[in-house]
Structures are given as C-alpha cells and as structure tokens.
Amino acid sequence: MNIELQICGLAMLIIFFIFIEHDRKLNVKNRLLFITAFVICIICLIFDIASIVCIHEAVYNGFSPILTKIVCKIYIMLLVTQGYCGYLYGCFDIVVQFKYKAIRIFAVLLYIIGEILIIVLPIEYYMNGRIVYSYGPANLCTYALAIFYISSTLYLSLKHRRDISHRRLVALFTWQGLWLVAALIQFFSKETLLVGFAAAVGMIVLYSQLENPNEHIDRFTGLFTQNALSLFLQDKYKYQVPFAFYTAKIKYLAPFTELDIKNDAVMRSARAFLELGNEPVFRINDDMFCIIYDSGDRAYDKLLEIKARADGVTGMPVEAKFIYCPDGTLLSGVEDVFNFIHCYEDSAEDIVVCDQELIERMLHRRKIYNLIETALKDDRIRVYYQPIYNVKKNRFTSAEALVRIENQDGTLVYPGDFIPIAEENGQIITLGMKIFEKVCELLAGGELQKLGIENVEVNVSAAQFDHENPAGFVSEYIDEYNLDPANINLEITETADNDLKHLLLLNMEKLIRLGVTFSLDDFGTGRSNLDYFVSMPAKNVKFDLGFTQGYFTNSKIRDVMKGMVSIAHDMDMKIVSEGVETKEQYDEMVRLGVDHIQGYYFSRPIPEQEFIEFLKDSDNTRNI
Ligand code: C2E
Ligand code: CA
Ligand code: CA
C-alpha cells in the first residue's frame, strides 16, 4: 500500500510531540493554537493512512464501501480543519489586532458550512496498483476551502509583514508553501501521496523556527528568559488578561562576590521559586527573577513566602529585594513593565509596591531621560553664567556655569528638574562632559580672562569621575583647548557613598596637581557637613543660599556662619556666599568677612554673550 510516507510523517510528529509535551510550557495564545494544529495534523495523518487501508480493503477484500466513504470523509474534513487551524495560527493576532471582523466571521462560517457540505456531498474512491484517491464533489469542496485558508494566511501575513517578524513570515510561507507544492504534485501524479507528509514537515518547520521553547529557556537555571517574559506579557496585554507579578532581586552585600557564590545563590533561588507553585518563573537578568500570577493576592502571599525563605538564609552575604505589582493593567504595556522594574530595582526598600504615584514618577523619569537625550543630540544644552563678586578686588573674578536645556519652543528647563535624574541614570556623564566642553570653548576664546575673570566654576558630580582614568575628561578638555588649569574651578558636593568619596578624592588630588581648584558647594545643607569640610582639599567653601538667607532670620545660623568664616580663613580657604539678593544682605556678608558674593543682587545666571556684555558694562577691568 502507498502509505510509507504518511507513516514516516506520523512517526516524526509523534516523536516531536513527546518532546513538546516534555518542554516547560509557556501558555501564550499562539502556543495553544500551535499545539491544536499539531494534534490535528497527527489525527489527520492517522485518517489519511486509515482511508488508504480502507480503500484497499474495500477494493480487494470486500470491506464496507459505506464505512470506507465515512473514513475518507473524516480525512478530508480533518484536512479542512488543518487548513483552518493554520489560518488561525498564522493570522489570529493580525485579525484581532487589525479588527478584520468580517474576515474573522467569514472564516468561521466558511469552516462550518464547508464541513457540513463535505458531510452531505457524495464522495467516490479509486484504487489501481499504487494509485489511490478519493474524488467527487466533497473533495472539490475541500480543495476550495484549502485554497481559501492558504491564500488568506499568505495574503494577511504578507500585507502585515511589517507587524510580524521576518522569521515568522518565512516559517509561515515555508509551511503553507510545502502544502501547496505537495497538493499540486499529488494532483498531477496521483500515486505520490505527499500532502500528509508535507503537512508533517511543515509542522516541524514551525516548531523549530517559532515554537521551540528551548529558545526561551535560560540554560543555567532552566527558567524562562526575559524574551519569554516579553512574549508572555504581550499576550496578557493583547487579550486583556489581568495579571499580577513580583520581581525578586538578589543583592550581594560584599563589594566583590565570587562567581561560585553568585551561581549558588541564583540556583538556590531558582529552585525555591519553582517549589513555590505552578506559575511561570522568568530569569530576567543575572540576578533578578519575575513571577507572574493571576491575582494580586496570590502574588503577595507567595512573595511573603519567598521573602521569609530568603530572610532565613544564613551564611550567604546576600539579601532579596522585591518589586510587587498587584495589578499589571496599572502599567500600560510590556515596555512600561520593564521600565518600571528597571527604574525601581535598586530602591532601598525591601518591597517596592507598584502604585499610580510610582508609575507617574517612572514616566516622569522616562520623559526627562528623553529630554536629555534629544537635547544632547540636537545641541540644545545651554550654559548660563552667574557672576561672582570678589570683595577684596572689588570686581567680578569668577562666574558659576549653570546648565539649562532649551526646549524646541525656546523655553528653558532648569537643572533642578533634570540633574538629579541624570545623576541616577548615568546620563550625567555625557551631559557633564558637554557642559564642561562648552565652558572650555568659552575660556579658550580668552575674552573672559581679558575682562578680569580668573576662573569659571563648574558643578561636577562624583559620578562623573572614573576609576580607570582619574582626572579623565577634565584634563583631556583642558589639554584639547589648551587652557590654563587655574581657569577651572570645580564645585563638588558631599556624597554619602564611601566608594564614590574615595574616587572623588583620588581625582581631586590628581587635578589639584595639574593646577585645577575646587569649591565645596552647598555648605550648610544636608548635602554637606563638617567632616567633608575637613577631609576635602578644596580652596573655597560656598555657603548655600538657604544658609546665607538663614543668617538674617536665625541667630544660631548667624553664629555658625561667623565661626565658619574664621575656621575657613584659618585653614586658608575662601568663603563664597550664594543667594545674596539685596543690598542689605550684601553689606552684611561683607561685614561678616565673606570673600566672594554671588546672587541675584548682582545678576541672575545669563547666557554667554550677555555675560560678556555684563562684564563690559560693569567696567570689570578697572582694578586688574
Ligand atoms: P547650585 O550649584 O547651588 O547653584 C546655585 C543655584 O542658585 C542656581 O540655580 C542659581 O540660579 C541659584 N541662585 C543664584 N543666585 C540666587 C539668588 O540670589 N537667589 C536665588 N533664589 N537663587 C539663586 P540653578 O541654576 O537652577 O541650579 C540649580 C542646581 O543645579 C545647582 O545648584 C547645581 O546643584 C545644579 N547644577 C546646575 N548646573 C549644573 C551643572 O552644570 N552640573 C551639575 N552637576 N549640576 C548643576
Ligand atoms: Ca554650584
Ligand atoms: Ca550651591
């Protein structure tokens, strides 16, 4: 009998099915459709073989013609079902996403009507040697339906080729193409029964190209990967299925943790998550996991359970940090989920709970991130200068460089809105270099120096310094613009992080040797204290504007400032008072013995050209 190819196909599919059943499954809609199509393909092959056996027996051994026709009909009905499943698998999300309601209804109706027609229409069969086939109106009906489903699948996937991956397009075309070619060959060469085998090969193509879950499995832990999470969540949002989740991050307490310990911690956590329940567990980066639940309550219970286990671990320098989201629909999509996780993964709290407020903060940070990126790209970073008055020399000898971002409509964004975020997300490095370069450009022109400016004060964050290249960008730009390092004064603030402080000191020493000077900024705020005053090799101390203004309202602040002025002078440091707005404040600061005065009393921060005009207008060269 002519059934060798079908048996091969069937054996192949059954072997693969065993593999598929053993895989760790991710229940996304496409996968369910795939499994359905796969199972139908197996049943179809069984009936393909059965129909040939029946025809053979009917022709040669008097087997019941009615039963033979029924088996033949079931076979062609399954063929149609297979076509329908293929269409669903290939186009379901396109049809849903682009709301092809008419096509959707038409496809279902056609399927039902087609199957009924096959049942009622007559079928004949024929066998002679190796040539076996059935024919008649029921078969014609099958051909028509198959052509409809194959062409709709090909048409829709081609039309939306930009919305689906290239890989999927190729796999779908290979699959449907195999069908088509096999059917044509079989049509012209009736003894080559290829269709069943081609369908089986097509299924294997789909499995290896699109549905192979091993691609979504992390090799080390056997958990799902971040890509898998992305797919899984896409499905949740697309079909509006509610979900909750939490992430757990292993935080290593020692500054350098050996790889063995890390691997052990990851492996133990992975096992613990799997023991927790049946929900899918994803490893979304080296030391972070995410588990998706149907309900917020269950997610929270499980989070507490795993937290209790983590807290109970002894002898390992690690702790666990969690982000808990009771309702995934609070976030607007997959990208937001990842942004949220990324934004809060390093928070100090043990459990960050995703609520409207945190989401808004995250969106704000995202907005600022984009603002800085586009401003850098479009060259909309502006540096303003605020003159600093030298009491002894009775003129402006310095200026503070203060950054702004110019919006496309010309309005300004002030640093308080973006510097803290840039410090957190690392953009401060590129941004700080840009600001510094602009200052160097201005100084390289030499005009400021001619107008009596001895140095420009530039704010720097400790995060801008690099371990590998101490003094890094500062000395590079000084060289590039051929500047006198004494023209540069860097303003630094206190940092709570000891590593950063160490890094800062290392850089300061190197730069001071070059001739750069430093100011301690914001003295008198929480960002600055006495320890920092004593330990930093700075030339100036800047009284914060709140401190300066407090002088006039608070007698304790007044006493502290008096004391500070004399301590600073004993230590050979100069005092700069910020935020001086009135003549009275100015007079009082001079009486206190402050060396430099900065504030709206003289000028607000102004653009470069205006600053040059300001110096000219104030006859700044008079005492040089
Ligand atoms: P800061 O270093 O303490 O800068 C002084 C701030 O006080 C400036 O605000 C300035 O415009 C404002 N100011 C000056 N005089 C007066 C006054 O008389 N009265 C009042 N009420 N305010 C006065 P700005 O420009 O908005 O800068 C805010 C902060 O942003 C700066 O505080 C600094 O910490 C940071 N920043 C500014 N530019 C840079 C920069 O280029 N790099 C870095 N890392 N931080 C910067
Ligand atoms: Ca400053
Ligand atoms: Ca300041």
Side-chain angles (χ1 to χ4, degrees):
M1 266 179 291
N2 201 355
I3 52 173
E4 299 86 348
L5 277 177
Q6 289 88 326
I7 289 177
C8 281
L10 186 60
M12 200 160 73
L13 285 185
I14 289 173
I15 292 168
F16 264 86
F17 192 72
I18 295 168
F19 281 128
I20 293 173
E21 266 311 292
H22 267 84
D23 290 333
R24 189 162 288 159
K25 296 174 203 69
L26 196 61
N27 284 334
V28 294
K29 192 100 186 172
N30 253 355
R31 183 155 180 88
L32 296 180
L33 287 172
F34 172 73
I35 299 287
T36 314
F38 202 96
V39 171
I40 302 264
C41 191
I42 291 181
I43 302 175
C44 192
L45 266 172
I46 294 173
F47 272 88
D48 189 356
I49 296 167
S51 66
I52 295 169
V53 173
C54 286
I55 294 172
H56 181 272
E57 292 304 300
V59 172
Y60 295 109
N61 297 323
F63 182 68
S64 155
I66 308 257
L67 278 180
T68 304
K69 284 185 181 174
I70 291 175
V71 172
C72 288
K73 278 198 177 183
I74 295 178
Y75 166 56
I76 57 174
M77 284 171 75
L78 283 165
L79 267 184
V80 173
T81 310
Q82 214 180 8
Y84 181 58
C85 281
Y87 148 83
L88 280 183
Y89 174 78
C91 304
F92 189 74
D93 43 357
I94 298 176
V95 170
V96 172
Q97 188 178 348
F98 296 95
K99 305 199 171 60
Y100 288 122
K101 219 169 177 172
I103 296 191
R104 208 169 154 182
I105 296 170
F106 185 64
V108 180
L109 279 181
L110 201 67
Y111 175 63
I112 298 169
I113 295 168
E115 295 290 50
I116 295 172
L117 278 177
I118 293 175
I119 294 172
V120 293
L121 289 172
I123 191 169
E124 300 301 330
Y125 53 82
Y126 173 85
M127 177 154 201
N128 186 4
R130 288 185 67 83
I131 300 179
V132 190
Y133 57 87
S134 55
Y135 62 98
N139 284 54
L140 285 180
C141 185
T142 310
Y143 276 117
L145 288 170
I147 287 171
F148 169 77
Y149 288 125
I150 294 180
S151 49
S152 324
T153 312
L154 296 183
Y155 168 74
L156 286 175
S157 50
L158 209 59
K159 182 166 174 209
H160 291 280
R161 61 190 173 280
R162 281 182 220 300
D163 305 303
I164 60 182
S165 72
H166 180 68
R167 186 173 180 165
R168 183 164 154 198
L169 196 69
V170 171
L172 283 178
F173 266 72
T174 312
W175 175 38
Q176 301 281 314
L178 275 169
W179 254 75
L180 216 61
V181 171
L184 281 175
I185 295 177
Q186 191 167 326
F187 187 79
F188 290 109
S189 158
K190 295 217 167 2
E191 63 179 83
T192 331
L193 300 185
L194 262 184
V195 168
F197 185 70
V201 173
M203 276 290 144
I204 308 295
V205 169
L206 285 191
Y207 177 77
S208 66
Q209 291 298 301
L210 303 180
E211 295 295 335
N212 183 354
N214 292 331
E215 282 199 359
H216 296 142
I217 300 279
D218 172 51
R219 275 167 211 272
F220 183 61
T221 55
L223 302 178
F224 291 115
T225 57
Q226 177 174 330
N227 275 346
L229 177 60
S230 187
L231 275 180
F232 191 64
L233 291 179
Q234 260 171 33
D235 228 53
K236 298 271 180 212
Y237 282 108
K238 200 189 289 168
Y239 303 110
Q240 297 175 354
V241 182
F243 69 97
F245 70 87
Y246 67 81
T247 63
K249 180 173 173 143
I250 307 173
K251 195 170 160 213
Y252 301 99
L253 300 172
F256 300 103
T257 309
E258 281 169 29
L259 196 61
D260 279 357
I261 298 185
K262 285 189 173 177
N263 286 346
D264 190 25
V266 168
M267 221 41 202
R268 277 209 221 178
S269 315
R271 243 175 273 132
F273 288 124
L274 289 176
E275 283 164 17
L276 216 56
N278 290 326
E279 285 85 358
V281 185
F282 302 83
R283 184 184 185 197
I284 52 180
N285 63 32
D286 279 355
D287 42 23
M288 194 157 44
F289 305 87
C290 180
I291 302 103
I292 307 284
Y293 292 87
D294 292 339
S295 86
D297 290 346
R298 179 162 165 87
Y300 196 66
D301 289 347
K302 291 291 165 185
L303 185 158
L304 292 182
E305 208 176 312
I306 202 83
K307 182 166 166 25
R309 281 181 73 161
D311 292 345
V313 171
T314 50
M316 236 190 196
V318 294
E319 60 182 26
K321 296 277 182 193
F322 298 89
I323 296 175
Y324 164 61
C325 176
D327 175 7
T329 57
L330 289 174
L331 293 151
S332 68
V334 183
E335 206 187 328
D336 261 12
V337 172
F338 284 110
N339 279 338
F340 190 87
I341 296 172
H342 187 62
C343 193
Y344 296 110
E345 65 177 286
D346 292 318
S347 295
E349 298 101 273
D350 282 348
I351 304 177
V352 174
V353 180
C354 172
D355 59 14
Q356 213 51 48
E357 193 189 322
L358 287 196
I359 292 173
E360 258 146 45
R361 192 158 6 127
M362 172 216 29
L363 293 174
H364 177 71
R365 285 201 212 184
R366 189 89 213 143
K367 204 176 99 198
I368 297 294
Y369 173 87
N370 291 333
L371 173 86
I372 299 174
E373 284 303 292
T374 48
L376 280 167
K377 195 161 78 41
D378 306 345
D379 193 20
R380 281 186 285 105
I381 307 288
R382 304 280 173 258
V383 179
Y384 277 42
Y385 294 86
Q386 187 174 34
I388 300 176
Y389 191 74
N390 183 322
V391 176
K392 203 189 265 157
K393 294 191 178 172
N394 194 21
R395 64 179 167 88
F396 300 98
T397 52
S398 175
E400 179 169 1
L402 293 158
V403 66
R404 277 96 182 85
I405 286 179
E406 191 175 309
N407 284 323
Q408 257 133 356
D409 62 6
T411 54
L412 295 179
V413 189
Y414 289 88
D417 292 339
F418 60 86
I419 290 288
I421 294 173
E423 283 177 342
E424 269 174 31
N425 66 21
Q427 283 175 305
I428 192 69
I429 298 188
T430 352
L431 182 61
M433 276 168 44
K434 187 88 213 159
I435 297 164
F436 193 70
E437 186 177 15
K438 288 192 181 264
V439 172
C440 290
E441 244 170 48
L442 178 63
L443 281 167
E447 196 165 8
L448 291 190
Q449 294 88 328
K450 279 187 210 136
L451 288 166
I453 294 297
E454 293 168 5
N455 62 51
V456 171
E457 305 191 353
V458 188
N459 294 283
V460 288
S461 313
Q464 283 174 256
F465 289 115
D466 185 13
H467 267 292
E468 253 98 82
N469 181 14
F473 72 98
V474 176
S475 61
E476 278 160 22
Y477 280 126
I478 289 178
D479 276 352
E480 188 181 330
Y481 285 90
N482 208 6
L483 295 181
D484 177 358
N487 286 163
I488 301 290
N489 178 286
L490 300 180
E491 295 191 3
I492 51 165
T493 50
E494 167 76 292
T495 150
D497 184 324
N498 270 334
D499 285 349
L500 270 186
K501 194 167 173 174
H502 178 77
L503 176 69
L504 185 61
L505 270 171
L506 181 85
N507 278 272
M508 281 176 83
E509 278 156 19
K510 209 135 185 191
L511 286 166
I512 287 171
R513 250 178 277 140
L514 267 180
V516 173
T517 56
F518 283 84
S519 297
L520 301 183
D521 202 0
D522 297 344
F523 194 85
T525 64
R527 300 177 76 183
S528 164
N529 62 32
L530 209 60
D531 163 51
Y532 150 78
F533 178 73
V534 176
S535 61
M536 290 288 164
K539 204 175 145 231
N540 306 318
V541 186
K542 295 191 81 172
F543 283 169
D544 178 67
L545 90 171
F547 205 46
T548 306
Q549 290 173 355
Y551 182 91
F552 301 95
T553 52
N554 183 325
S555 65
K556 278 194 185 145
I557 294 190
R558 201 171 313 145
D559 293 339
V560 173
M561 278 176 75
K562 281 182 189 155
M564 285 308 303
V565 171
S566 80
I567 297 174
H569 286 163
D570 286 348
M571 291 170 74
D572 226 11
M573 290 168 94
K574 302 275 188 232
I575 302 275
V576 187
S577 248
E578 293 184 309
V580 173
E581 294 183 347
T582 63
K583 172 86 170 86
E584 294 72 52
Q585 289 174 348
Y586 167 78
D587 289 339
E588 196 57 43
M589 286 300 121
V590 172
R591 208 165 312 133
L592 183 66
V594 164
D595 306 275
H596 302 274
I597 293 175
Q598 174 182 0
Y600 294 172
Y601 173 58
F602 292 110
S603 167
R604 289 179 174 260
I606 44 182
E608 188 175 308
Q609 217 38 54
E610 235 175 274
F611 176 53
I612 289 171
E613 295 305 320
F614 172 89
L615 292 175
K616 287 180 182 162
D617 290 349
S618 51
D619 195 15
N620 204 45
T621 49
R622 63 191 181 276
N623 299 320
I624 295 180

PDB file of all heavy atoms in Angstrom, residues 276-288:
ATOM      1  N   LEU A 276       7.553  26.940  44.686  1.00  0.00           N
ATOM      2  CA  LEU A 276       6.509  27.801  45.224  1.00  0.00           C
ATOM      3  C   LEU A 276       5.139  27.561  44.603  1.00  0.00           C
ATOM      4  O   LEU A 276       4.107  27.815  45.217  1.00  0.00           O
ATOM      5  CB  LEU A 276       6.931  29.244  44.931  1.00  0.00           C
ATOM      6  CG  LEU A 276       6.622  30.298  45.932  1.00  0.00           C
ATOM      7  CD1 LEU A 276       7.204  29.936  47.274  1.00  0.00           C
ATOM      8  CD2 LEU A 276       7.218  31.614  45.446  1.00  0.00           C
ATOM      9  N   GLY A 277       5.110  27.108  43.359  1.00  0.00           N
ATOM     10  CA  GLY A 277       3.811  26.913  42.706  1.00  0.00           C
ATOM     11  C   GLY A 277       4.006  26.649  41.238  1.00  0.00           C
ATOM     12  O   GLY A 277       5.132  26.455  40.776  1.00  0.00           O
ATOM     13  N   ASN A 278       2.889  26.659  40.494  1.00  0.00           N
ATOM     14  CA  ASN A 278       2.963  26.298  39.075  1.00  0.00           C
ATOM     15  C   ASN A 278       3.147  27.487  38.145  1.00  0.00           C
ATOM     16  O   ASN A 278       3.235  27.316  36.942  1.00  0.00           O
ATOM     17  CB  ASN A 278       1.682  25.572  38.668  1.00  0.00           C
ATOM     18  CG  ASN A 278       1.642  24.205  39.310  1.00  0.00           C
ATOM     19  OD1 ASN A 278       2.684  23.571  39.494  1.00  0.00           O
ATOM     20  ND2 ASN A 278       0.455  23.756  39.687  1.00  0.00           N
ATOM     21  N   GLU A 279       3.137  28.687  38.715  1.00  0.00           N
ATOM     22  CA  GLU A 279       3.219  29.874  37.863  1.00  0.00           C
ATOM     23  C   GLU A 279       4.589  29.943  37.177  1.00  0.00           C
ATOM     24  O   GLU A 279       5.583  29.491  37.727  1.00  0.00           O
ATOM     25  CB  GLU A 279       2.999  31.139  38.695  1.00  0.00           C
ATOM     26  CG  GLU A 279       1.550  31.373  39.090  1.00  0.00           C
ATOM     27  CD  GLU A 279       1.145  30.630  40.356  1.00  0.00           C
ATOM     28  OE1 GLU A 279       1.983  29.903  40.908  1.00  0.00           O
ATOM     29  OE2 GLU A 279      -0.022  30.783  40.759  1.00  0.00           O
ATOM     30  N   PRO A 280       4.614  30.525  35.971  1.00  0.00           N
ATOM     31  CA  PRO A 280       5.896  30.585  35.248  1.00  0.00           C
ATOM     32  C   PRO A 280       6.891  31.528  35.925  1.00  0.00           C
ATOM     33  O   PRO A 280       6.530  32.611  36.363  1.00  0.00           O
ATOM     34  CB  PRO A 280       5.507  31.119  33.870  1.00  0.00           C
ATOM     35  CG  PRO A 280       4.207  31.798  34.063  1.00  0.00           C
ATOM     36  CD  PRO A 280       3.516  31.124  35.210  1.00  0.00           C
ATOM     37  N   VAL A 281       8.143  31.064  35.988  1.00  0.00           N
ATOM     38  CA  VAL A 281       9.208  31.855  36.616  1.00  0.00           C
ATOM     39  C   VAL A 281      10.190  32.280  35.533  1.00  0.00           C
ATOM     40  O   VAL A 281      10.608  31.458  34.717  1.00  0.00           O
ATOM     41  CB  VAL A 281       9.966  31.015  37.665  1.00  0.00           C
ATOM     42  CG1 VAL A 281      10.980  31.872  38.405  1.00  0.00           C
ATOM     43  CG2 VAL A 281       9.006  30.362  38.630  1.00  0.00           C
ATOM     44  N   PHE A 282      10.518  33.548  35.511  1.00  0.00           N
ATOM     45  CA  PHE A 282      11.411  34.086  34.486  1.00  0.00           C
ATOM     46  C   PHE A 282      12.681  34.606  35.139  1.00  0.00           C
ATOM     47  O   PHE A 282      12.618  35.253  36.179  1.00  0.00           O
ATOM     48  CB  PHE A 282      10.735  35.251  33.751  1.00  0.00           C
ATOM     49  CG  PHE A 282       9.432  34.864  33.110  1.00  0.00           C
ATOM     50  CD1 PHE A 282       8.253  34.832  33.853  1.00  0.00           C
ATOM     51  CD2 PHE A 282       9.385  34.527  31.772  1.00  0.00           C
ATOM     52  CE1 PHE A 282       7.054  34.474  33.256  1.00  0.00           C
ATOM     53  CE2 PHE A 282       8.188  34.173  31.170  1.00  0.00           C
ATOM     54  CZ  PHE A 282       7.017  34.136  31.919  1.00  0.00           C
ATOM     55  N   ARG A 283      13.805  34.324  34.515  1.00  0.00           N
ATOM     56  CA  ARG A 283      15.043  34.951  34.983  1.00  0.00           C
ATOM     57  C   ARG A 283      15.289  36.121  34.039  1.00  0.00           C
ATOM     58  O   ARG A 283      15.589  35.925  32.863  1.00  0.00           O
ATOM     59  CB  ARG A 283      16.194  33.944  34.911  1.00  0.00           C
ATOM     60  CG  ARG A 283      17.480  34.494  35.469  1.00  0.00           C
ATOM     61  CD  ARG A 283      18.610  33.504  35.294  1.00  0.00           C
ATOM     62  NE  ARG A 283      19.828  33.991  35.937  1.00  0.00           N
ATOM     63  CZ  ARG A 283      21.026  33.513  35.674  1.00  0.00           C
ATOM     64  NH1 ARG A 283      21.176  32.544  34.797  1.00  0.00           N
ATOM     65  NH2 ARG A 283      22.086  33.998  36.287  1.00  0.00           N
ATOM     66  N   ILE A 284      15.123  37.337  34.552  1.00  0.00           N
ATOM     67  CA  ILE A 284      15.148  38.454  33.607  1.00  0.00           C
ATOM     68  C   ILE A 284      16.494  39.135  33.501  1.00  0.00           C
ATOM     69  O   ILE A 284      16.726  39.905  32.595  1.00  0.00           O
ATOM     70  CB  ILE A 284      14.011  39.481  33.872  1.00  0.00           C
ATOM     71  CG1 ILE A 284      13.993  39.936  35.309  1.00  0.00           C
ATOM     72  CG2 ILE A 284      12.692  38.893  33.473  1.00  0.00           C
ATOM     73  CD1 ILE A 284      12.898  40.943  35.571  1.00  0.00           C
ATOM     74  N   ASN A 285      17.375  38.896  34.430  1.00  0.00           N
ATOM     75  CA  ASN A 285      18.793  39.171  34.193  1.00  0.00           C
ATOM     76  C   ASN A 285      19.598  38.350  35.185  1.00  0.00           C
ATOM     77  O   ASN A 285      19.028  37.515  35.885  1.00  0.00           O
ATOM     78  CB  ASN A 285      19.111  40.674  34.202  1.00  0.00           C
ATOM     79  CG  ASN A 285      18.833  41.315  35.538  1.00  0.00           C
ATOM     80  OD1 ASN A 285      18.975  40.673  36.584  1.00  0.00           O
ATOM     81  ND2 ASN A 285      18.418  42.560  35.521  1.00  0.00           N
ATOM     82  N   ASP A 286      20.888  38.607  35.255  1.00  0.00           N
ATOM     83  CA  ASP A 286      21.752  37.726  36.036  1.00  0.00           C
ATOM     84  C   ASP A 286      21.186  37.409  37.417  1.00  0.00           C
ATOM     85  O   ASP A 286      21.198  36.271  37.849  1.00  0.00           O
ATOM     86  CB  ASP A 286      23.132  38.369  36.213  1.00  0.00           C
ATOM     87  CG  ASP A 286      23.963  38.141  34.978  1.00  0.00           C
ATOM     88  OD1 ASP A 286      23.468  37.411  34.098  1.00  0.00           O
ATOM     89  OD2 ASP A 286      25.065  38.697  34.888  1.00  0.00           O
ATOM     90  N   ASP A 287      20.688  38.435  38.110  1.00  0.00           N
ATOM     91  CA  ASP A 287      20.295  38.178  39.490  1.00  0.00           C
ATOM     92  C   ASP A 287      18.872  38.621  39.790  1.00  0.00           C
ATOM     93  O   ASP A 287      18.550  38.934  40.927  1.00  0.00           O
ATOM     94  CB  ASP A 287      21.294  38.841  40.447  1.00  0.00           C
ATOM     95  CG  ASP A 287      21.679  40.216  39.965  1.00  0.00           C
ATOM     96  OD1 ASP A 287      20.887  40.785  39.200  1.00  0.00           O
ATOM     97  OD2 ASP A 287      22.753  40.709  40.327  1.00  0.00           O
ATOM     98  N   MET A 288      18.044  38.680  38.769  1.00  0.00           N
ATOM     99  CA  MET A 288      16.654  39.071  39.032  1.00  0.00           C
ATOM    100  C   MET A 288      15.663  38.100  38.386  1.00  0.00           C
ATOM    101  O   MET A 288      15.876  37.631  37.276  1.00  0.00           O
ATOM    102  CB  MET A 288      16.403  40.490  38.548  1.00  0.00           C
ATOM    103  CG  MET A 288      15.112  41.007  39.100  1.00  0.00           C
ATOM    104  SD  MET A 288      14.952  42.775  39.182  1.00  0.00           S
ATOM    105  CE  MET A 288      15.553  43.301  37.673  1.00  0.00           C
TER     106      MET A 288
END
